[in-house]
Amino acid sequence: MMQETGLQLEHALESVTIIYDIRRALSSLTQASHKWVQDVNSLVDRIERMLEHTPENHLPMEWHVMTVGLRLMAGRVACLAIARGNKGSLLDERAKCDVLLEELRRLLSSDSLALPRSTDSTRQSLLETGQCEPDSLRTFLLSIPLPTLYWRSRELAFPYGGTVERSETTPSPILRLIVFLDHIPVATPQLLRSDVLYPLAFKVRGLIWPSNAIRLRLDLLTTCPRSEFSLSDFFLYPPRTIENDEYEGELAGQIKFHAGQSSPLDDLVFAVRAAFETADGTFTEIPVIGHNELRLRVVNETVHPLMTGNRRLDRHIEELTTKLLSDCPKVRHELPDLLDMLQVLTRLLATYAQEAIYKGRSDVPESEFQTTVLRDLRNMLGQDVQEHPNQAGGIADIRYRGVVIELKVETENGDRQHISNKYAGQSVQYAGVEAKQVSILLVLDLTAKDKPPGDIRNDIILFDVETHGGDDKNKKFPSKTFVFVVNGNMKSPSMYSR
């Protein structure tokens, strides 16, 4: 038999090692350091040597993006280091960064490049303006999933006989994982409640089960203290069926966290380690591809502001908040009070939708809407909810500690983009005078509902608000508004039947 050109498993292991080194390098950047620049450039040299031995038709574009992005990141850090007194030519580094930036934009413009939604804003900013803050670039690169460079050589069968040579090289064991948490494939990051026992399952597909192995063991490695969570042991015993050196199996158990994190927007990282155990108690670790890392966020429902009781709504709010932090890292100091209000408004929106508030009414005055919302907010948040505070020369409708909530009633156009454009500027001005980037707009939509309302998540939006003084993409503190839209003037569901 002859074989098509393919990569050995050692190549796959090398790519896994490099992926870990990339994450480590990006996560370790705390200040402009000449040594960090040298280490990253050395890492990129390793990547490029590996990619040279990878057939182009098996080389995902994400690796090209990462290579150029790391070079660009190193160049920008080098510029900052030179500006602070280190040796080097600032002009040369800037010229190199300009070339790398154009190459990165070219790669990102490809329609075939599919990246996570969390990278959309940075990708769009790079394509439209060619500008990106170093922190945003680092977050962008950390969000890029890098596929392991692994596949098997395939033997080519010929219709004629003849003597053939067989390779005596024995492939090395390797394991592909898909992790299911609470019965769904794990997301990144996955939001969990504390004091809840979650089912955790690993579906495995492996290559080579050593003859002396009595079982396969999976462990989750983390810096989180072991006393903070409970975790089942995960073992897979020799499978009954092994075909062409391949086997499959499932390891099931549970995980439970005893307390929530102090910061609900930081990830707990768990690396998956796999090892074969022999009868004498020795372990042989093997490389893992696929879900080889879990990123979790654990919250206490009684104090965490993103837990509403609806998993899909919780995930949607978390994604919007994550995007907010990615676009505007300096808003962290606004989060404690802001997240309290996001939780409550999300619950109110769901409740109002279930109750079909103001059903059949197209004449609800803004004062009545405000009275209802004010009452419900005070029931949930207490007397810190204030009515009609003077702000920026005008009157803001509701204020909760440092959070401004503007209320409006829309009777003409129910398009969510139209509503956001029409009303968001007022709440932004109120928040802006207190050096806050984020405000909230709550709108009652009383337009005719000729079509049934869809997914309630479409009614919760994070909106970029254009402000005076130049292009907002170039501003250090751009303004954002969370827009919540309540559907009033509803019809009975049966009226939409045809």
Side-chain angles (χ1 to χ4, degrees):
M1 292 288 179
M2 294 184 65
Q3 290 188 330
E4 289 182 334
T5 301
L7 295 182
Q8 299 299 323
L9 294 178
E10 288 76 9
H11 197 90
L13 180 58
E14 182 184 7
S15 70
V16 171
T17 302
I18 287 178
I19 290 171
Y20 278 116
D21 290 343
I22 290 172
R23 306 299 184 204
R24 187 183 302 112
L26 289 172
S27 300
S28 66
L29 176 60
T30 57
Q31 59 183 354
S33 164
H34 182 64
K35 184 180 184 304
W36 188 89
V37 173
Q38 288 181 322
D39 291 344
V40 169
N41 283 328
S42 176
L43 175 59
V44 175
D45 290 339
R46 286 172 54 201
I47 297 172
E48 291 178 342
R49 286 194 296 271
M50 179 184 66
L51 299 186
E52 286 177 0
H53 295 88
T54 306
E56 188 63 32
N57 60 333
H58 288 287
L59 182 53
M61 189 178 294
E62 290 89 341
W63 279 96
H64 291 302
V65 173
M66 181 60 70
T67 302
V68 177
L70 286 173
R71 290 282 194 202
L72 177 59
M73 191 77 194
R76 290 192 167 178
V77 173
C79 287
L80 186 56
I82 293 170
R84 291 179 175 177
N86 286 341
K87 295 181 180 180
S89 170
L90 188 57
L91 291 178
D92 289 346
E93 287 293 341
R94 284 181 174 175
K96 183 172 67 174
C97 287
D98 290 342
V99 174
L100 291 169
L101 179 58
E102 288 307 311
E103 175 63 11
L104 181 60
R105 294 177 70 189
R106 183 187 68 80
L107 293 171
L108 294 178
S109 65
S110 173
D111 293 335
S112 62
L113 177 64
L115 296 178
R117 286 186 300 171
S118 60
T119 66
D120 287 350
S121 59
T122 303
R123 182 178 185 177
Q124 196 65 25
S125 176
L126 284 166
L127 290 174
E128 291 180 354
T129 69
Q131 296 182 357
C132 181
E133 293 291 331
D135 285 346
S136 297
L137 179 58
R138 184 179 69 153
T139 302
F140 175 74
L141 294 177
L142 281 169
S143 301
I144 295 177
L146 291 175
T148 306
L149 300 178
Y150 162 72
W151 67 93
R152 297 184 63 189
S153 303
R154 182 169 64 88
E155 294 182 337
L156 298 177
F158 291 90
Y160 51 85
T163 303
V164 297
E165 294 184 359
R166 293 185 179 271
S167 171
E168 296 182 357
T169 302
T170 302
S172 301
I174 194 168
L175 196 67
R176 182 184 296 274
L177 283 184
I178 301 178
V179 182
F180 290 80
L181 187 55
D182 201 15
H183 305 297
I184 59 175
V186 68
T188 301
Q190 183 86 33
L191 189 65
L192 304 179
R193 290 184 174 91
S194 60
D195 291 321
V196 174
L197 188 65
Y198 287 95
L200 179 63
F202 298 87
K203 289 191 176 181
V204 306
R205 184 173 183 179
L207 175 66
I208 305 299
W209 185 286
S211 59
N212 63 340
I214 61 172
R215 62 185 181 181
L216 173 69
R217 174 171 178 162
L218 296 184
D219 293 295
L220 296 182
L221 308 180
T222 179
T223 58
C224 179
R226 191 64 176 82
S227 60
E228 295 299 321
F229 64 96
S230 301
L231 181 68
S232 302
D233 293 327
F234 292 92
F235 297 108
L236 180 66
Y237 290 88
R240 295 181 179 179
T241 303
I242 299 179
E243 296 183 358
N244 298 323
D245 294 327
E246 294 185 354
Y247 60 91
E248 296 181 353
E250 181 171 337
L251 300 81
Q254 296 86 31
I255 188 171
K256 178 181 179 180
F257 289 87
H258 307 308
Q261 295 169 253
S262 59
S263 173
L265 294 171
D266 292 332
D267 295 344
L268 287 177
V269 181
F270 291 78
V272 181
R273 181 179 66 183
F276 282 112
E277 182 180 0
T278 58
D280 61 3
T282 61
F283 291 87
T284 302
E285 190 171 343
I286 62 173
V288 176
I289 60 177
H291 282 161
N292 52 22
E293 182 181 88
L294 307 182
R295 289 182 173 270
L296 308 177
R297 295 179 181 176
V298 184
V299 297
N300 185 327
E301 187 175 5
T302 61
V303 300
H304 190 275
L306 294 182
M307 305 305 286
T308 66
N310 183 310
R311 180 188 300 170
R312 293 183 179 88
L313 277 177
D314 291 342
R315 176 65 56 79
H316 179 59
I317 295 297
E318 188 213 6
E319 288 174 352
L320 294 182
T321 308
T322 301
K323 183 179 186 303
L324 171 66
L325 281 174
S326 176
D327 293 349
C328 308
K330 299 184 185 300
V331 303
R332 277 188 175 272
H333 71 281
E334 299 182 38
L335 289 181
D337 296 336
L338 174 66
L339 294 178
D340 283 343
M341 182 55 71
L342 292 180
Q343 178 204 31
V344 169
L345 285 179
T346 302
R347 286 178 171 171
L348 280 186
L349 194 67
T351 301
Y352 290 164
Q354 292 169 354
E355 295 178 351
I357 190 172
Y358 304 127
K359 180 178 179 180
R361 290 188 57 186
S362 60
D363 58 349
V364 180
E366 192 170 298
S367 58
E368 180 181 344
F369 179 48
Q370 179 167 328
T371 299
T372 300
V373 172
L374 183 66
R375 177 202 63 205
D376 294 338
L377 289 180
R378 281 181 172 165
N379 285 339
M380 302 176 77
L381 293 173
Q383 295 305 310
D384 284 341
V385 178
Q386 302 174 15
E387 181 181 14
H388 288 311
N390 292 323
Q391 195 87 350
I395 298 177
D397 289 315
I398 293 176
R399 177 188 177 97
Y400 172 69
R401 296 177 181 168
V403 182
V404 175
I405 306 100
E406 179 69 18
L407 274 63
K408 293 293 181 183
V409 173
E410 176 60 33
T411 59
E412 298 177 356
N413 188 337
D415 181 85
R416 293 341 188 202
Q417 188 71 23
H418 168 83
I419 287 174
S420 300
N421 278 318
K422 183 176 180 180
Y423 296 118
Q426 188 172 346
S427 62
V428 163
Q429 185 175 0
Y430 292 148
V433 297
E434 292 193 356
K436 294 184 181 296
Q437 293 177 252
V438 187
S439 60
I440 296 177
L441 172 65
L442 178 62
V443 180
L444 174 62
D445 175 11
L446 295 180
T447 59
K449 305 299 186 293
D450 298 324
K451 299 176 182 178
D455 191 319
I456 193 173
R457 289 172 291 186
N458 295 324
D459 299 325
I460 306 175
I461 305 162
L462 179 62
F463 185 70
D464 297 331
V465 184
E466 294 184 1
T467 56
H468 177 72
D471 191 339
D472 289 274
K473 294 184 176 66
N474 300 326
K475 293 177 182 175
K476 192 174 183 180
F477 303 100
S479 294
K480 305 275 189 177
T481 296
F482 280 94
V483 181
F484 290 77
V485 183
V486 177
N487 280 308
N489 194 19
M490 298 282 288
K491 297 180 180 180
S492 297
S494 60
M495 297 185 67
Y496 294 109
S497 300
R498 297 182 179 178

